[in-house]
Amino acid sequence: MRFKQLKKWPLIVLFSLLVAISAATTTVLANNQTLTVRASVLNVRLGPGLGYSVMGQVQNGTQLTVIDKENSWYQVRLAGNRIGWVASWLVDQNEATTTTARVATVAGQVNVRQYATTTSKVLGTLEPGDSAKVIYQEGDWTEIAYQNTAAWVYTKLINITNQTVTLEAPKQSAAVATKAAVTVVKATTTTAANVREAAGINAPIVTRLTKGQSVTILKQSGEWYYVQTATGKKGYIASWILSMPGSATAKAATSLSEATIVLDPGHGGTDSGAQSTSGGSEKTYTLALANKVGAALKAQGVNVIYTRSDDSFVDLAPRPAVAEKVHADAFISFHFDSTPNANTASGFTTYYYSVKKDKTLATYLNKSFTGLGLTNRGVEFGDFEVIRENTQPAVLLEMGYINDDSDYAKIKSAAYQQQIASDIVSGLTSYFKAGNHQ
Ligand SMILES: [Zn+2]
């Protein structure tokens, strides 16, 4: 027995040496910037938009490393080398430096693997002439950004060029969300789950759980929970496969908070729009209303973008173009109706253009307008340029007749505008909750 133990020493020395060499050759090629999560719970998605499925969640205060940026979303690295996307306005930027990553090219066909080992799954191949964004290198392997995830290629098979990709600094980093304390102690697995020795997907497995098993959360470690199973085993489990019904944690990250919404106050500048009998201009009240709605949405964490924010003239065509450019989850245009003869019509109407793209949004919003004290004229088809020429889900709201004296009394009141704002928040909340987004 003693002899055997002694024989192990050279192996341990050799192993330590290998680890040391590997560490020494680790090269970080991306000058990464880090972000801090500001939302109480932030969804991490498979792609840069609300339409991509949630792959995990991170808690308030978590530091994330940025790899890329697209459409106001950040591609970030998570524990276990997983890659996902988070909404830029729900995180705080720690460093204002620009980030660069090196570009690699391939001369022949190269397998792209899930992990840095030849036995791991092949996710795809790079063909001659293809290029890849290098995240970092470790030993013989190079990690690249590949189809919204991180993947590995054998370093000898690629050529790292001098070309770098500059990742632009974020346009805004508005922060919302109140810090919610995690008070949950019980959770249920949402799928078959591995309980691991450490907080990472490569850590050894302690035990496996089937779907629907209950665990007790002992503490939190980043995106992982240290839990105790029903049979008394302890280990780490990924937070994103646990469901905590009724808890603040489960509810904190609403889909609405991740949405980008374009608000379009009708008319502006030399285009006054319709007039009230007393000479009030439609453009004044569309802007006042949009500002109220924008403030209410911002308070929910929404990324709000206006087509105009002051009394300036904006042509029709650029308005839907804004929505397309930012890949808006919804576009809402604000207007007030008028009739040829004053005081002959009253009420509000919700217009859509595309049945497929817009009508659901129009229906959800219209249903939310319950306490306005004006006749609901319903959801109607409307051939308006700002919604017709829109690639994103778009609606046009006519929120009362400006040349009807009793409607106008409402239109100009802050209380009426505020009621519309909170109704839109609840309508959009239900709309996104039901999975209605691109
Ligand atoms: Zn108008």
Side-chain angles (χ1 to χ4, degrees), residues 266-267 271-274 282-283 286 333-338 384 396-398:
H267 313 281
D271 170 18
S272 300
E282 183 183 355
K283 67 171 184 179
T286 57
S333 188
F334 299 95
H335 287 261
F336 299 102
D337 257 326
S338 71
F384 300 105
L396 186 143
L397 307 178
E398 296 276 9

mmCIF file of all heavy atoms in Angstrom, residues 266-267 271-274 282-283 286 333-338 384 396-398, ligand 1:
data_model
loop_
_atom_site.group_PDB
_atom_site.id
_atom_site.type_symbol
_atom_site.label_atom_id
_atom_site.label_comp_id
_atom_site.label_asym_id
_atom_site.label_seq_id
_atom_site.Cartn_x
_atom_site.Cartn_y
_atom_site.Cartn_z
ATOM 1 N N GLY A 266 -48.245 61.878 -32.910
ATOM 2 C CA GLY A 266 -48.640 62.310 -34.245
ATOM 3 C C GLY A 266 -48.365 63.796 -34.482
ATOM 4 O O GLY A 266 -48.403 64.601 -33.565
ATOM 5 N N HIS A 267 -48.105 64.114 -35.763
ATOM 6 C CA HIS A 267 -47.918 65.503 -36.212
ATOM 7 C C HIS A 267 -46.697 66.161 -35.555
ATOM 8 O O HIS A 267 -45.806 65.470 -35.104
ATOM 9 C CB HIS A 267 -49.212 66.295 -36.018
ATOM 10 C CG HIS A 267 -50.401 65.539 -36.528
ATOM 11 N ND1 HIS A 267 -50.717 65.469 -37.867
ATOM 12 C CD2 HIS A 267 -51.309 64.732 -35.890
ATOM 13 C CE1 HIS A 267 -51.778 64.668 -38.019
ATOM 14 N NE2 HIS A 267 -52.155 64.213 -36.846
ATOM 15 N N ASP A 271 -46.824 70.917 -38.917
ATOM 16 C CA ASP A 271 -48.026 70.086 -39.041
ATOM 17 C C ASP A 271 -48.722 70.024 -37.682
ATOM 18 O O ASP A 271 -48.313 69.282 -36.805
ATOM 19 C CB ASP A 271 -47.619 68.689 -39.530
ATOM 20 C CG ASP A 271 -48.762 67.688 -39.456
ATOM 21 O OD1 ASP A 271 -49.932 68.117 -39.351
ATOM 22 O OD2 ASP A 271 -48.477 66.467 -39.502
ATOM 23 N N SER A 272 -49.755 70.841 -37.524
ATOM 24 C CA SER A 272 -50.441 70.935 -36.226
ATOM 25 C C SER A 272 -51.444 69.819 -36.005
ATOM 26 O O SER A 272 -51.884 69.587 -34.889
ATOM 27 C CB SER A 272 -51.182 72.264 -36.109
ATOM 28 O OG SER A 272 -50.264 73.315 -36.210
ATOM 29 N N GLY A 273 -51.849 69.140 -37.070
ATOM 30 C CA GLY A 273 -52.892 68.123 -36.945
ATOM 31 C C GLY A 273 -54.253 68.795 -36.884
ATOM 32 O O GLY A 273 -54.419 69.926 -37.349
ATOM 33 N N ALA A 274 -55.205 68.111 -36.288
ATOM 34 C CA ALA A 274 -56.566 68.664 -36.198
ATOM 35 C C ALA A 274 -56.643 69.707 -35.073
ATOM 36 O O ALA A 274 -55.751 69.785 -34.231
ATOM 37 C CB ALA A 274 -57.552 67.535 -35.950
ATOM 38 N N GLU A 282 -53.820 69.294 -32.215
ATOM 39 C CA GLU A 282 -53.635 67.863 -31.992
ATOM 40 C C GLU A 282 -52.181 67.550 -31.612
ATOM 41 O O GLU A 282 -51.911 66.762 -30.713
ATOM 42 C CB GLU A 282 -54.031 67.090 -33.263
ATOM 43 C CG GLU A 282 -53.931 65.579 -33.106
ATOM 44 C CD GLU A 282 -54.252 64.838 -34.400
ATOM 45 O OE1 GLU A 282 -54.636 65.486 -35.396
ATOM 46 O OE2 GLU A 282 -54.101 63.604 -34.417
ATOM 47 N N LYS A 283 -51.220 68.202 -32.293
ATOM 48 C CA LYS A 283 -49.791 67.915 -32.064
ATOM 49 C C LYS A 283 -49.375 68.151 -30.606
ATOM 50 O O LYS A 283 -48.496 67.468 -30.092
ATOM 51 C CB LYS A 283 -48.930 68.782 -32.993
ATOM 52 C CG LYS A 283 -48.991 70.274 -32.697
ATOM 53 C CD LYS A 283 -47.962 71.067 -33.489
ATOM 54 C CE LYS A 283 -47.993 72.538 -33.085
ATOM 55 N NZ LYS A 283 -46.995 73.336 -33.802
ATOM 56 N N THR A 286 -50.831 65.026 -28.565
ATOM 57 C CA THR A 286 -50.217 63.729 -28.878
ATOM 58 C C THR A 286 -48.864 63.629 -28.171
ATOM 59 O O THR A 286 -48.504 62.574 -27.652
ATOM 60 C CB THR A 286 -50.029 63.524 -30.398
ATOM 61 O OG1 THR A 286 -49.242 64.593 -30.931
ATOM 62 C CG2 THR A 286 -51.363 63.455 -31.112
ATOM 63 N N SER A 333 -48.671 54.738 -32.246
ATOM 64 C CA SER A 333 -48.826 56.092 -32.755
ATOM 65 C C SER A 333 -50.037 56.736 -32.074
ATOM 66 O O SER A 333 -51.085 56.104 -31.937
ATOM 67 C CB SER A 333 -49.022 56.042 -34.274
ATOM 68 O OG SER A 333 -48.992 57.350 -34.792
ATOM 69 N N PHE A 334 -49.861 57.992 -31.630
ATOM 70 C CA PHE A 334 -50.933 58.687 -30.902
ATOM 71 C C PHE A 334 -51.545 59.798 -31.745
ATOM 72 O O PHE A 334 -50.817 60.626 -32.291
ATOM 73 C CB PHE A 334 -50.381 59.292 -29.596
ATOM 74 C CG PHE A 334 -49.834 58.256 -28.660
ATOM 75 C CD1 PHE A 334 -48.483 57.951 -28.653
ATOM 76 C CD2 PHE A 334 -50.682 57.569 -27.799
ATOM 77 C CE1 PHE A 334 -47.974 56.983 -27.797
ATOM 78 C CE2 PHE A 334 -50.184 56.603 -26.938
ATOM 79 C CZ PHE A 334 -48.824 56.312 -26.937
ATOM 80 N N HIS A 335 -52.857 59.778 -31.822
ATOM 81 C CA HIS A 335 -53.588 60.801 -32.569
ATOM 82 C C HIS A 335 -54.908 61.101 -31.878
ATOM 83 O O HIS A 335 -55.331 60.370 -30.982
ATOM 84 C CB HIS A 335 -53.883 60.317 -33.999
ATOM 85 C CG HIS A 335 -52.671 60.300 -34.871
ATOM 86 N ND1 HIS A 335 -52.375 61.301 -35.765
ATOM 87 C CD2 HIS A 335 -51.652 59.392 -34.964
ATOM 88 C CE1 HIS A 335 -51.236 61.018 -36.384
ATOM 89 N NE2 HIS A 335 -50.766 59.869 -35.913
ATOM 90 N N PHE A 336 -55.540 62.207 -32.341
ATOM 91 C CA PHE A 336 -56.908 62.505 -31.926
ATOM 92 C C PHE A 336 -57.721 62.746 -33.185
ATOM 93 O O PHE A 336 -57.254 63.403 -34.112
ATOM 94 C CB PHE A 336 -56.929 63.725 -30.982
ATOM 95 C CG PHE A 336 -56.130 63.480 -29.725
ATOM 96 C CD1 PHE A 336 -54.854 64.020 -29.585
ATOM 97 C CD2 PHE A 336 -56.634 62.670 -28.718
ATOM 98 C CE1 PHE A 336 -54.094 63.764 -28.451
ATOM 99 C CE2 PHE A 336 -55.878 62.414 -27.575
ATOM 100 C CZ PHE A 336 -54.604 62.962 -27.444
ATOM 101 N N ASP A 337 -58.907 62.169 -33.205
ATOM 102 C CA ASP A 337 -59.789 62.257 -34.366
ATOM 103 C C ASP A 337 -60.394 63.643 -34.520
ATOM 104 O O ASP A 337 -60.384 64.436 -33.582
ATOM 105 C CB ASP A 337 -60.968 61.271 -34.166
ATOM 106 C CG ASP A 337 -60.797 60.010 -34.988
ATOM 107 O OD1 ASP A 337 -60.245 60.134 -36.096
ATOM 108 O OD2 ASP A 337 -61.219 58.929 -34.530
ATOM 109 N N SER A 338 -60.977 63.856 -35.707
ATOM 110 C CA SER A 338 -61.831 65.034 -35.862
ATOM 111 C C SER A 338 -62.850 64.754 -36.965
ATOM 112 O O SER A 338 -62.659 63.838 -37.762
ATOM 113 C CB SER A 338 -61.013 66.285 -36.184
ATOM 114 O OG SER A 338 -60.503 66.203 -37.481
ATOM 115 N N PHE A 384 -53.139 53.606 -42.450
ATOM 116 C CA PHE A 384 -52.285 54.758 -42.128
ATOM 117 C C PHE A 384 -50.832 54.396 -42.410
ATOM 118 O O PHE A 384 -50.387 53.296 -42.044
ATOM 119 C CB PHE A 384 -52.431 55.132 -40.641
ATOM 120 C CG PHE A 384 -53.826 55.498 -40.243
ATOM 121 C CD1 PHE A 384 -54.610 54.620 -39.508
ATOM 122 C CD2 PHE A 384 -54.364 56.733 -40.602
ATOM 123 C CE1 PHE A 384 -55.901 54.948 -39.129
ATOM 124 C CE2 PHE A 384 -55.657 57.074 -40.226
ATOM 125 C CZ PHE A 384 -56.432 56.178 -39.493
ATOM 126 N N LEU A 396 -52.254 52.367 -34.238
ATOM 127 C CA LEU A 396 -52.482 53.809 -34.203
ATOM 128 C C LEU A 396 -53.709 54.043 -33.326
ATOM 129 O O LEU A 396 -54.759 53.442 -33.545
ATOM 130 C CB LEU A 396 -52.688 54.357 -35.625
ATOM 131 C CG LEU A 396 -52.802 55.881 -35.740
ATOM 132 C CD1 LEU A 396 -52.116 56.374 -37.019
ATOM 133 C CD2 LEU A 396 -54.248 56.359 -35.685
ATOM 134 N N LEU A 397 -53.512 54.874 -32.307
ATOM 135 C CA LEU A 397 -54.602 55.145 -31.366
ATOM 136 C C LEU A 397 -55.193 56.527 -31.636
ATOM 137 O O LEU A 397 -54.477 57.518 -31.637
ATOM 138 C CB LEU A 397 -54.079 55.094 -29.919
ATOM 139 C CG LEU A 397 -53.303 53.844 -29.481
ATOM 140 C CD1 LEU A 397 -52.828 54.014 -28.040
ATOM 141 C CD2 LEU A 397 -54.173 52.597 -29.609
ATOM 142 N N GLU A 398 -56.488 56.556 -31.876
ATOM 143 C CA GLU A 398 -57.220 57.830 -31.951
ATOM 144 C C GLU A 398 -57.948 57.926 -30.619
ATOM 145 O O GLU A 398 -58.938 57.235 -30.395
ATOM 146 C CB GLU A 398 -58.222 57.824 -33.119
ATOM 147 C CG GLU A 398 -57.607 57.719 -34.501
ATOM 148 C CD GLU A 398 -57.136 59.050 -35.083
ATOM 149 O OE1 GLU A 398 -57.126 60.064 -34.329
ATOM 150 O OE2 GLU A 398 -56.764 59.073 -36.269
HETATM 151 ZN ZN ZN B 1 -53.632 62.889 -36.343
#
